[in-house]
């Protein structure tokens, strides 16, 4: 018999968090952790809210679960819907449950939809937000590009070349500086084809660009274009050589086809307007070459940003 009494006591403790209490006015099923108020204490609070003239029996099912350092109450009132209440303490949940049940009982009509969740605790203290990281597109990035080029206008005929460009980019704007060297070429004097000159060409440019589109980037650019033209005479006993440095404004349009965020293929075309063009002259034969007033050049090459 003593064993049976011990077993009964153990079972009573195990099921203590979930008990039911009934009265003439209230039928309460209360399930909660052991640190919460007892079913009798909760029922007393609810009956105090119901008042003496309730006129009908109220059936309430309440379940309290612990979530981290807070408590959540699922409250179901027969025929009147369900509520969810969250609080810092279980005692606050019991008080809130009594208020909600009392209010619902005094309503003239049954609500078809549950009201918003009632939070019995005070709002948590404001927290300081960590600084937000800059969007990926707004970070400052470096870029590098190898180029194949062609120039029309600075030498007698169109000239291929190669170059490299370095730059910096932030958001929709980027700046770049480039340098290039072109294949040399020879031209002859019209009046004496045996005499002429060989020319070399190197260039540098500084430009700023604004990206007008996103996926396939289209960017108009403005900048300064500087070239060095070297000439060496040929076909005479005594030949001379000279060089001319010409600079002028440049307008260009670039298009970038992205393969990924870091890699892409960029192409562009530009027009430069050299100021102070100098003619290359062979004595007694006259000028053999003068740079054009408008020079055109185009490029294409792979680009990496990091």
């Amino acid at each position: 018999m003593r064993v049976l009494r011990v077993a009964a006591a153990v079972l009573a403790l195990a099921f203590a968090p979930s008990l039911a209490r009934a009265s003439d006015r209230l039928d309460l099923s209360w399930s909660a952790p052991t640190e919460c108020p007892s079913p009798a204490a909760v029922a007393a609070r609810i009956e105090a809210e119901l008042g003496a003239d309730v006129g009908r029996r109220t059936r309430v099912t309440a379940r309290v679960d612990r979530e981290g350092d807070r408590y959540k109450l699922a409250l179901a009132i027969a025929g009147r819907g369900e509520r969810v209440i969250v609080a810092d303490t279980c005692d606050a949940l019991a008080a809130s449950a009594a208020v909600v049940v009392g209010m619902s009982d005094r309503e003239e009509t049954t609500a078809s939809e549950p009201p918003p969740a009632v939070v019995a605790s005070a709002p948590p203290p404001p927290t300081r937000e960590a600084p937000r990281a800059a969007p990926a597109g707004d970070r400052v990035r470096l870029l590098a590009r190898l180029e194949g080029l062609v120039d029309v206008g600075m030498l007698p005929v169109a000239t291929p070349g190669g170059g490299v460009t370095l730059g910096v980019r932030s958001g929709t704007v980027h700046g770049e500086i480039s340098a290039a060297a072109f294949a040399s070429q020879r031209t002859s004097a019209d009046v004496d084809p045996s005499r002429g000159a060989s020319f070399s060409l190197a260039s540098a440019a500084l430009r700023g660009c604004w990206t007008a589109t996103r996926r396939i980037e289209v960017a108009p650019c403005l900048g300064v274009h500087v070239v060095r033209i070297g000439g060496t005479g040929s076909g005479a006993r005594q030949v001379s050589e000279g060089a001319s440095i010409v600079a002028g404004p440049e307008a260009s349009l670039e298009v970038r086809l992205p393969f990924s965020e870091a890699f892409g293929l960029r192409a562009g075309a530009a027009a430069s307007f050299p100021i102070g063009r100098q003619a290359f002259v062979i004595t007694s034969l006259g000028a053999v070459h003068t740079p054009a007033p408008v020079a055109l050049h185009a490029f294409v090459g792979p680009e990496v940003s990091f």
Side-chain angles (χ1 to χ4, degrees):
M1 293 299 293
R2 183 176 183 180
V3 173
L4 293 177
R5 286 198 296 271
V6 171
V10 171
L11 290 174
L13 290 175
F15 288 93
S18 179
L19 295 174
R21 180 179 175 87
S23 68
D24 294 336
R25 293 174 297 170
L26 176 66
D27 184 1
L28 172 65
S29 174
W30 173 260
S31 174
T34 56
E35 66 267 26
C36 295
S38 66
V42 176
R45 291 186 179 185
I46 296 176
E47 290 176 352
E49 291 291 334
L50 291 177
D53 57 347
V54 61
R56 59 179 174 273
R57 188 173 186 178
T58 302
R59 181 177 300 172
V60 179
T61 302
R63 178 181 178 85
V64 179
D65 293 303
R66 188 179 181 92
E67 294 186 349
D69 57 351
R70 309 192 78 189
Y71 295 84
K72 183 178 76 172
L73 169 64
L75 182 66
I77 306 173
R80 303 173 195 170
E82 299 180 355
R83 279 82 168 168
V84 175
I85 305 174
V86 179
D88 291 334
T89 66
C90 197
D91 187 69
L93 282 182
S96 299
V99 173
V100 172
V101 174
M103 292 177 58
S104 68
D105 196 77
R106 286 189 291 269
E107 292 177 352
E108 294 183 358
T109 58
T110 300
S112 59
E113 293 291 337
V118 177
V119 179
S121 61
T127 57
R128 182 177 299 177
E129 294 186 1
R132 295 184 179 180
D138 293 336
R139 295 199 305 265
V140 176
R141 305 173 69 97
L142 302 179
L143 62 88
R145 182 172 70 245
L146 294 177
E147 300 175 342
L149 304 98
V150 61
D151 181 274
V152 179
M154 299 309 296
L155 294 185
V157 296
T159 308
V164 62
T165 293
L166 301 175
V168 61
R169 175 175 183 169
S170 177
T172 59
V173 297
H174 71 274
E176 55 187 39
I177 183 170
S178 61
F182 296 84
S184 60
Q185 60 179 253
R186 184 183 185 281
T187 187
S188 300
D190 294 336
V191 296
D192 186 357
S194 64
R195 301 170 67 182
S198 297
F199 295 97
S200 62
L201 175 64
S203 69
L206 177 66
R207 61 182 70 93
C209 306
W210 172 69
T211 301
T213 59
R214 282 295 183 184
R215 290 191 177 180
I216 298 179
E217 299 178 8
V218 178
C221 309
L222 291 176
V224 177
H225 189 247
V226 181
V227 299
R228 181 189 183 278
I229 304 174
T232 303
S234 62
R237 290 183 179 181
Q238 293 185 348
V239 296
S240 61
E241 59 183 36
S244 173
I245 297 179
V246 182
E250 177 194 80
S252 61
L253 184 68
E254 299 181 357
V255 178
R256 181 179 183 270
L257 178 64
F259 300 141
S260 67
E261 183 179 357
F263 296 95
L265 181 70
R266 190 178 292 269
S272 60
F273 307 88
I275 300 173
R277 296 175 295 124
Q278 296 179 348
F280 288 84
V281 178
I282 297 179
T283 304
S284 74
L285 293 181
V288 292
H289 175 61
T290 301
V294 178
L296 304 177
H297 35 278
F299 74 86
V300 63
E303 181 180 273
V304 59
S305 59
F306 48 91

